Amino acid sequence: MTEQREAYFRRTGATTFVATEHTGGAWSTTEQHVSPLCGLLVHVLERDLPRPDLALARVSIDILGVVPVAEVEVTARVVRAGRTIELAEVEASYAGRAVLRARVWRLAPSDTAVVAGHDVTPMPPPAESEPWEMGSVWPGGYIGSIEVRRAAGAAPGRGRAWVTSPVSLVADEEVSEQAAWTRLLDTANGVAVRAAPGEWAYPNVDLTYHLHRTPRGPWVGLDTSVAWGAEGVGLTSTVLHDELGPVGTAAQVLTLRRAAGR
């Protein structure tokens, strides 16, 4: 593996990062798949505005435009400061234009093990799921960089898949499990397609995820359902897992239209 293939981003300055070929998108290989960029937003937040006393509980990311496979600037600020609750904002820009903007709630943790619980059926673990060549459906450097295992029972608009990647988020920098985990979440819209991407286009305009506990380990579990409406809008809904069980939920709003030439 060459040096260029080892990371999704390389730092070029105090707030700037250059994307590598592994960020190449599924809708256009010359544009970034925003999944690694979402992880970069969390990484910059944790590095530039550290709050080790708070747990990340919600990340809401708006995708404001396409992002070339090029250099981006990422900055973070506190919107609502607090001792036990904090709201922060992280923005990525390209050539002076904002392309992704995230708002993040961080909350003070406490010992609530005595009442912890859920009613979600856990996914079959990665070892019991079959390898799936996602590149048979989607192109791009990002899709080529990930390993996917899919549970039995996949159908149009419904799928359960595990995703991991050997590619680090930022070259030569320590990255938290949370940021590394986030770099894979936007894969959800591609694991349970309702129609071939050559026939329909359905990119997401946002990604919002909520966590009831901190995810662990290299695998992201995506228990995903996709609904398409009759007015050009769709919704991808996912229950998020790590290998210990469910950790939260994610949602992506889709803009739905026929592919060019159809």
Side-chain angles (χ1 to χ4, degrees):
M1 184 173 289
T2 64
E3 185 175 335
Q4 187 180 12
R5 296 175 182 272
E6 293 174 354
Y8 291 111
F9 295 97
R10 299 185 180 282
R11 184 181 290 274
T12 55
T15 61
T16 54
F17 303 81
V18 65
T20 72
E21 62 186 21
H22 277 308
T23 64
W27 295 109
S28 170
T29 57
T30 62
E31 299 166 0
Q32 287 188 44
H33 195 296
V34 299
S35 203
L37 189 53
C38 291
L40 184 62
L41 296 184
V42 173
H43 174 64
V44 169
L45 172 67
E46 294 178 331
R47 190 177 178 94
D48 292 358
L49 298 175
R51 286 296 304 268
D53 56 319
L54 301 183
L56 189 150
R58 189 211 71 181
V59 178
S60 182
I61 302 169
D62 290 313
I63 303 169
L64 306 177
V66 298
V67 192
V69 179
E71 187 177 74
V72 293
E73 181 173 19
V74 184
T75 57
R77 68 184 183 97
V78 173
V79 176
R80 187 269 193 199
R83 184 175 59 85
T84 61
I85 299 175
E86 178 189 88
L87 178 64
E89 184 175 87
V90 196
E91 182 177 280
S93 60
Y94 165 73
R97 172 178 59 87
V99 289
L100 260 72
R101 184 177 294 128
R103 285 213 161 186
V104 182
W105 280 108
R106 297 193 281 191
L107 312 180
S110 61
D111 185 358
T112 54
V114 68
V115 293
H118 61 81
D119 62 358
V120 178
T121 302
M123 288 175 55
E128 297 177 13
S129 303
E130 292 295 319
W132 180 45
E133 181 51 60
M134 200 170 175
S136 65
V137 179
W138 298 99
Y142 170 72
I143 297 300
S145 76
I146 61 177
E147 177 185 349
V148 185
R149 292 179 173 267
R150 189 162 63 171
R158 186 73 179 93
R160 295 175 297 167
W162 291 96
V163 184
T164 190
S165 175
V167 180
S168 65
L169 180 59
V170 182
D172 304 320
E173 291 190 17
E174 184 177 350
V175 173
S176 72
E177 278 191 306
Q178 181 71 70
W181 214 76
T182 302
R183 86 192 194 284
L184 300 169
L185 293 185
D186 197 67
T187 316
N189 190 38
V191 302
V193 299
R194 297 197 64 85
E199 298 175 358
W200 289 87
Y202 36 96
N204 55 301
V205 299
D206 75 338
L207 167 68
T208 297
Y209 69 93
H210 295 81
L211 300 174
H212 62 261
R213 68 172 176 85
T214 302
R216 304 295 183 194
W219 287 97
V220 172
L222 305 170
D223 188 345
T224 298
S225 300
V226 179
W228 286 1
E231 299 172 338
V233 178
L235 177 64
T236 295
S237 303
T238 302
V239 180
L240 301 172
H241 293 69
D242 64 12
E243 292 185 83
L244 299 176
V247 300
T249 61
Q252 298 158 285
V253 173
L254 318 178
T255 173
L256 175 63
R257 55 190 181 274
R258 286 190 181 275
R262 294 285 178 172

